Amino acid sequence: MNGLAGTPLLLRLGLRRERVIAPWWILLLVTMALVMVAYVERNMGTFELKATYTEMINRNAFFRALGGGTVEPDLGVLSSWRSGGFLYVMNGLAALMSVIRLTRADEDSGRTELLRAAVVGRYSPLTAALLVAGGVSLAGGALTAVVLVAIGLEPTGSIAYGAAITAAGWVFAAIGAVAAQLARSAHTARVMALAVLGAAYLLRYAGDASGQAWMVRASPIGWSHLVEPYRDERWWMLAVPLAVAAVLAAAAYGLAGRRDLGAGLVSERRGPASAPRLRGPISLAWRLHRGLLASWAAGIAVFAAAAGGLSTLAHQLSEAPGASVAHLMENFGGSGASPLHAYVWPIILIFGYIIALYPVIMVQRLRADEAAGRAEAVQATPMTRLRWAGGHLLVAALGTAALLAVAGLAFGTLFGVLVGDPASDVPRILAAALGTLPAAWLVGAVGVLAYGLVPRACVAISWAVWVAVAALGRIAGPLYGQWGGTPFEPFHYLPDTVAGAPFDPVPALVLAALSALVAGGGLLALHRRDIG
């Protein structure tokens, strides 16, 4: 039988399955590009302001690394610099997840075996997955370019920007295809592909921060940055990700021909024969989730240290002439705060919003265990469903506190060493980071309530709540003119003690009580409904 038999039908099936997810990824890319253009126009409306920010960005290694390279006082350059580092990663993430979802995950669920019982060739699922992911990546890049041209940006630069976004998606679609052949399960394939994505970003970041150009050239994310839209438009640079994607796709086909259906080429490590410390729900939850917590802690520590390095830029801004720069920074700070210390609070909030995603993911793992039947197997023992869920939630709550502590310590130490006083700044920043804990708990508690009441929709509800909290907060608020954020998210009510606001325990206590009440309601609903 032809190895590509049935590909058109699988392509239609893949497009039908992705029709719910793909439009949101495309909308995210286009919206972020437009938001950054509007942000630059609103806050850097004159050439003099653009020149001021350009000089400060180009002088600071950590800030250059944040967006990728140096900038020029041009609307297209500044907006693509601010959004590009995000869009390249997001398009790559969407592509690799789509390929693994349509290949390895389908094998795990048995769907591919059923399809192969019909007139479907060995390579058809992989081909359809690559075409779907590649098409979505192309749509995201092309639509971004069209919209940017429509609002008045230079067409050649916009097309180059869209091509760079597309190229990142194609490379990581091929990386996801290779990971799907190597791994024994979809989870392992995602870990492998995401590790490559994270390493590519860190390599690019380190190269721009240190001035080592070879590191940027060695990074798949760096290849998109090196296209330099709205400046040099290095079209030839696009040949590198396209060639690498073609080689990796060919390797994926070769690997697919060498393995059995459902098998992986990399054997998984066997677990221990017994678990003597597995004595209750808490130890079970810890054993299941300690790897995820360690990965989060490592990532948070790296990015918190990078944010601490950015404090040198805040120091430059605090000493820069001109009221506009000081006003820009003080919009985040409390009354009487210096521009330097006004920088600390938005960084803490950024980590608060990010870490609030951790309890959301932990709640989603509860649903995944229930859907896979693992929760039912556990409850065949004397462990009740409330003890089972409570153990997971306790680990999630303590893990959230640990991640905030890691962020506060790493950021506070670098900030104190570079521009402040470690003896006073580290405890103060650590306390401020831990002060966001009740707000992060409340975001996760809403997910617990959704899991108890509407388990089939709890994943979508949890993600929607987290996105809404981040979008309505004080970090995303400035992108659409709301510097103070909005009162519709829990972080809004936390006082900025670092910038001089008086300590008030009432908001934290209220948020903690609401978290306990909402999570308790979710557990009560779980107790009263059927599992599965």
Side-chain angles (χ1 to χ4, degrees):
M1 183 174 63
N2 183 359
L4 295 177
T7 298
L9 291 176
L10 291 185
L11 177 60
R12 289 176 57 190
L13 177 62
L15 290 173
R16 181 176 179 84
R17 292 173 58 192
E18 294 293 295
R19 73 187 188 280
V20 177
I21 302 175
W24 291 105
W25 281 108
I26 296 172
L27 180 63
L28 176 65
L29 298 177
V30 175
T31 301
M32 183 56 66
L34 290 175
V35 164
M36 288 305 177
V37 173
Y39 178 84
V40 173
E41 285 184 322
R42 182 169 57 249
N43 294 291
M44 308 174 200
T46 65
F47 179 81
E48 290 74 16
L49 274 176
K50 289 184 178 69
T52 299
Y53 281 97
T54 296
E55 181 182 0
M56 291 180 179
I57 291 168
N58 291 338
R59 284 190 311 180
N60 188 280
F62 287 97
F63 208 63
R64 288 198 309 271
L66 190 64
T70 59
V71 294
E72 296 176 0
D74 174 79
L75 175 60
V77 173
L78 286 169
S79 59
S80 63
W81 177 86
R82 286 188 64 89
S83 62
F86 177 80
L87 298 190
Y88 302 147
V89 172
M90 288 298 101
N91 208 29
L93 174 62
L96 71 87
M97 295 295 283
S98 177
V99 169
I100 294 173
R101 185 164 51 246
L102 296 176
T103 54
R104 187 75 255 182
D106 279 358
E107 290 189 40
D108 292 352
S109 66
R111 185 180 289 114
T112 301
E113 186 174 6
L114 289 174
L115 292 172
R116 290 279 296 275
V119 186
V120 173
R122 174 185 289 269
Y123 304 108
S124 297
L126 176 58
T127 303
L130 287 173
L131 289 175
V132 169
V136 172
S137 296
L138 177 60
L143 190 57
T144 300
V146 169
V147 171
L148 292 177
V149 172
I151 65 173
L153 267 64
E154 196 267 323
T156 304
S158 299
I159 294 172
Y161 189 32
I165 295 171
T166 300
W170 286 359
V171 168
F172 283 97
I175 290 172
V178 173
Q181 311 311 312
L182 295 176
R184 176 63 179 80
S185 66
H187 173 73
T188 305
R190 293 188 188 101
V191 170
M192 293 171 62
L194 290 174
V196 175
L197 179 63
Y201 180 83
L202 290 176
L203 189 62
R204 196 281 307 163
Y205 187 100
D208 282 321
S210 63
Q212 299 293 321
W214 69 268
M215 300 176 75
V216 180
R217 298 190 186 103
S219 167
I221 295 295
W223 300 335
S224 292
H225 284 276
L226 290 174
V227 174
E228 294 191 356
Y230 302 104
R231 287 198 287 183
D232 297 335
E233 280 95 30
R234 298 175 178 174
W235 298 102
W236 59 269
M237 193 65 215
L238 293 171
V240 177
L242 295 181
V244 172
V247 171
L248 290 174
Y253 280 102
L255 295 173
R258 294 179 55 190
R259 68 178 182 87
D260 294 330
L261 182 65
L265 294 175
V266 176
S267 59
E268 294 188 338
R269 180 178 63 88
R270 292 184 177 181
S274 61
R277 296 188 180 90
L278 207 58
R279 302 184 185 279
I282 297 176
S283 59
L284 171 64
W286 168 247
R287 187 174 186 83
L288 290 174
H289 304 306
R290 61 187 179 183
L292 176 66
L293 180 60
S295 300
W296 269 76
I300 291 295
V302 170
F303 285 104
L310 280 172
S311 58
T312 57
L313 176 66
H315 183 66
Q316 292 176 15
L317 288 171
S318 66
E319 296 183 345
S324 59
V325 174
H327 176 69
L328 179 64
M329 297 192 68
E330 289 173 355
N331 273 318
F332 282 112
S335 58
S338 69
L340 179 60
H341 284 88
Y343 159 79
V344 174
W345 184 237
I347 297 297
I348 291 174
L349 285 178
I350 287 173
F351 283 106
Y353 290 124
I354 292 173
I355 293 172
L357 183 58
Y358 176 76
V360 171
I361 292 176
M362 290 289 283
V363 172
Q364 293 176 7
R365 284 197 163 193
L366 283 174
R367 172 57 187 166
D369 284 352
E370 179 181 345
R374 292 186 292 269
E376 188 175 3
V378 169
Q379 289 163 46
T381 70
M383 186 184 300
T384 65
R385 68 179 66 179
L386 289 184
R387 292 184 63 215
W388 165 75
H392 283 72
L393 296 183
L394 180 60
V395 171
L398 296 179
T400 305
L403 292 174
L404 287 169
V406 168
L409 285 173
F411 174 57
T413 300
L414 265 293
F415 179 87
V417 169
L418 292 175
V419 296
D421 178 17
S424 60
D425 287 329
V426 172
R428 190 166 44 164
I429 292 175
L430 175 61
L434 290 174
T436 64
L437 181 60
W441 278 346
L442 184 57
V443 176
V446 175
V448 177
L449 181 62
Y451 171 60
L453 292 174
V454 282
R456 294 176 183 266
C458 72
V459 173
I461 293 173
S462 299
W463 274 103
V465 169
W466 179 79
V467 170
V469 168
L472 297 174
R474 276 180 275 187
I475 301 304
L479 298 177
Y480 48 87
Q482 296 293 326
W483 282 94
T486 63
F488 303 107
E489 56 91 17
F491 292 88
H492 178 82
Y493 300 96
L494 301 175
D496 179 8
T497 55
V498 177
F503 173 72
D504 183 4
V506 173
L509 292 175
V510 171
L511 290 173
L514 283 175
S515 300
L517 183 63
V518 173
L523 291 176
L524 178 61
L526 173 64
H527 177 68
R528 299 182 64 178
R529 70 170 175 84
D530 293 333
I531 285 290

